[in-house]
Amino acid sequence: MIDFLICMFLQYVTFDVETSVIKLFEHFLRFLFFLLICLRDLLVSIRKMEQMLYDQVVAPVVKFMTSHITKHLGYVICSTKHVTSMREKMSRLVATRTDVIQHKNRNETNDKEIPAGVEAWLGEVEKVKDEVESISNDDIGCIHMKNRYRAGRNAFKATMRIQELITENSEFTWTDAPLATGRATSSTTSTPLLVSPGGNDFKSRDIPFNDALKLLQQDDNKSQAIALCGMGGVGKTTMMEQLKKVAEEKKMFDFFVKVTLGGNPNMFSIQNDIAICIGGESLREATVTARGETLQRKFEKKLEDDKKKILVILDDVWQKVDIKDIGLTSPLPKGVKLLLTSRDSKVCKLTAGTSLLQVVQVNELSDVEAQKFFSECTGVSKEHDKNLFQIGCDIVNKCGNLPLAIQLIGTTLKSEDDYAWRDTLNRLKNHDLDDKVQEIIKISYEYLKKDEDKEIFLHCGLFPEDSDIEIEDLVRHGWGLKLFKNVSTLGEARDRTNTCVRNLVNANLLMESERRGCVKLHDLVLAFVLARVSEGDFAWIVNHGDVSTWGRDEMNESCKRISLTCMGMSEFPRDFKYPDLSFIQLMDGDESLKLPEDFYASMENLKVIAFYKMQYPPLPTSLQFSTNLKSLCLHECKLMSDWSFIGDLVNLEVLSLVDCDIQNFI
């Protein structure tokens, strides 16, 4: 340091032996003053650096550590407060969830729009609810610091999440607009082609699927109508649904109009479904011709005024359909494509008329695919049991490689002994293919272990083809008919019904529906049910087709259950007397339908009444004679009756009024 100062000093002055001592001292003082100024500036800079270090490093760290420690100490000190606040917020969220569920259920029942995100929101609420229930501040003493800390921290985080969900719910917009069932909706999920239980695609279906998809994408001049044709149970409807879903995802059309015809179509109901799909309102015209003309005007408005593209789907076509009746012309108007599924390509050609029709053949599975599918259904492979596998190959051959038949019989034989396999093979040897499919369904039905499963399965046959069967309807009907053993409350009956439905779905006798809380029947399975309940001890009357000619020849006084679609019926048969009747279900009856005044006079054993979309259904005072009535279900009905008779139904246990217009309720 001394050497450094000497050098600085020597540079500052020029040493001269002749310089006087005074001059030298003057220069030394100046150097010393300069040095002091430098030291002062250095001290000022150090102080500034200290302050900056404190402001930018020390203070933020201290502040962060203080707040962090304070927050975590708060989890311990205010643990009870956090848990109490969480529970209060959760109570508010649960009440909000209840309102949302009720609103959602009303809109589902009435086919009204539900905001996107509601289902996901409800799922998140359930997760938070489970989390909240796992957080408890009870029986935690002051000395259990770790437990108090954990409870306080988890409660604080749960409270923040609850508040986020409450805020999310406030952002939902419920328009309650009618659901346009034919409108295209966007989706990000991909649709696999027909998939086996093991997750392997049926590659043999790729070609017909892609061919049909290309035809849907082509302009109208090349393919106005496309027909998926093949044997019953081969998978035509499944392929159609997958084509529809892909077309929706790609937004190829603005509206999708889908109706199922079946072997005995009710044109009045079909026309009404189309009208609601494209216009939102039911038809009022009294004849098929007039209703068809109204539908044509509705289509023209969508096509010409609104510039929409429409895909009309006719599923399960058994006989020629006059497309004028469904509002279309031949050739099809520009902007409309027609997609049909049928066993008979000739029927499709007659229906399409002069429109350009392209037939896509849907064949049965290849031998390899069919055997692999059966192995996946049964869990039996060649390596597992060579002899049993060979019997399975013979069964697959008798099933005609039809996916529906393979899935039904494979599910039935899973975990069964080899004698059951041999017996099944013997039963299939003496039938043609159509009869074999029915025999397979019969085998699956007979293998149901519980009578309650069989009862619910057969009762599903009382609903129209391709309809969404509400499980809650099965609950109400099953309760009134006493189908369940050892069940004392409606809640227990609901659990039992859901158990039965799950067993039937697992047996592939029922199918999951796209509509929440509903199931469906395949048309071949429905045919089996109708054949079974129309004979023997059952003697049920089921008619959802052309009921305009329904009359005395179909009446059987020993009948126990009746289900009818009344659309197009002007007058109910006289002498409608069924003393053994326990269940009656009427659907889609308009104001023109006339019923006898003594409609219920001879129904002493009636236990369940179910009316759906009936305009002024019969509820006369003669209903008082039915003192055995257990369930009265009225859905979307217009009612103008004196309801004082309800008091006389001393055994009534279920009264369901869903979306009914009640003008005089006493």
Side-chain angles (χ1 to χ4, degrees), residues 287-518:
T287 65
V288 170
T289 301
R291 293 159 74 91
E293 292 172 351
T294 300
L295 286 176
Q296 184 175 341
R297 289 192 293 271
K298 289 178 179 288
F299 273 115
E300 289 173 351
K301 183 180 185 304
K302 292 294 180 186
L303 296 169
E304 297 176 7
D305 299 345
D306 301 338
K307 306 299 181 183
K308 301 295 184 182
K309 294 180 65 178
I310 303 173
L311 176 63
V312 178
I313 301 173
L314 302 182
D315 186 31
D316 197 20
V317 181
W318 285 54
Q319 55 194 358
K320 177 191 174 183
V321 178
D322 189 344
I323 59 174
K324 289 184 179 179
D325 293 341
I326 60 174
L328 300 177
T329 58
S330 182
L332 293 169
K334 186 176 181 180
V336 172
K337 286 221 172 187
L338 183 64
L339 177 61
L340 307 99
T341 72
S342 177
R343 302 182 189 185
D344 191 342
S345 60
K346 292 181 180 179
V347 169
C348 296
K349 292 176 182 177
L350 292 173
T351 299
T354 59
S355 302
L356 295 174
L357 175 71
Q358 299 287 344
V359 176
V360 176
Q361 193 69 31
V362 183
N363 296 318
E364 63 276 7
L365 301 179
S366 67
D367 290 341
V368 174
E369 285 177 327
Q371 290 169 6
K372 183 180 179 182
F373 187 25
F374 184 78
S375 293
E376 291 169 350
C377 291
T378 59
V380 174
S381 63
K382 188 174 184 180
E383 295 75 16
H384 174 265
D385 189 325
K386 187 175 181 180
N387 293 330
L388 206 58
F389 177 78
Q390 185 56 52
I391 298 174
C393 291
D394 294 338
I395 291 174
V396 168
N397 182 260
K398 295 299 180 185
C399 290
N401 289 4
L402 297 178
L404 174 67
I406 294 171
Q407 190 171 36
L408 279 169
I409 202 64
T411 304
T412 301
L413 293 178
K414 186 175 183 179
S415 302
E416 293 293 336
D417 294 324
D418 53 358
Y419 62 80
W421 289 51
R422 290 193 298 269
D423 180 61
T424 298
L425 179 59
N426 289 330
R427 292 178 64 172
L428 296 177
K429 285 182 177 179
N430 300 318
H431 297 279
D432 59 31
L433 192 52
D434 285 341
D435 290 340
K436 285 175 185 174
V437 174
Q438 292 301 304
E439 184 68 18
I440 287 169
I441 299 171
K442 181 180 179 181
I443 293 172
S444 299
Y445 169 76
E446 291 175 348
Y447 266 81
L448 292 174
K449 293 179 173 59
K450 296 181 180 180
D451 291 338
E452 293 170 345
D453 293 348
K454 294 181 178 180
E455 289 280 3
I456 291 296
F457 172 61
L458 295 178
H459 193 80
C460 289
L462 293 169
F463 292 85
E465 181 177 344
D466 198 47
S467 62
D468 295 305
I469 304 169
E470 293 195 21
I471 298 175
E472 195 62 24
D473 284 341
L474 299 177
V475 174
R476 301 184 186 106
H477 300 175
W479 174 266
L481 293 169
K482 294 188 177 298
L483 300 183
F484 311 116
K485 298 177 181 178
N486 302 319
V487 166
S488 57
T489 66
L490 196 59
E492 292 176 357
R494 183 172 292 108
D495 292 340
R496 186 70 58 82
T497 304
N498 279 286
T499 300
C500 293
V501 167
R502 180 50 48 197
N503 292 338
L504 293 168
V505 170
N506 291 339
N508 291 299
L509 290 172
L510 286 182
M511 301 184 299
E512 298 279 8
S513 170
E514 293 182 357
R515 185 173 176 182
R516 187 182 178 89
C518 297

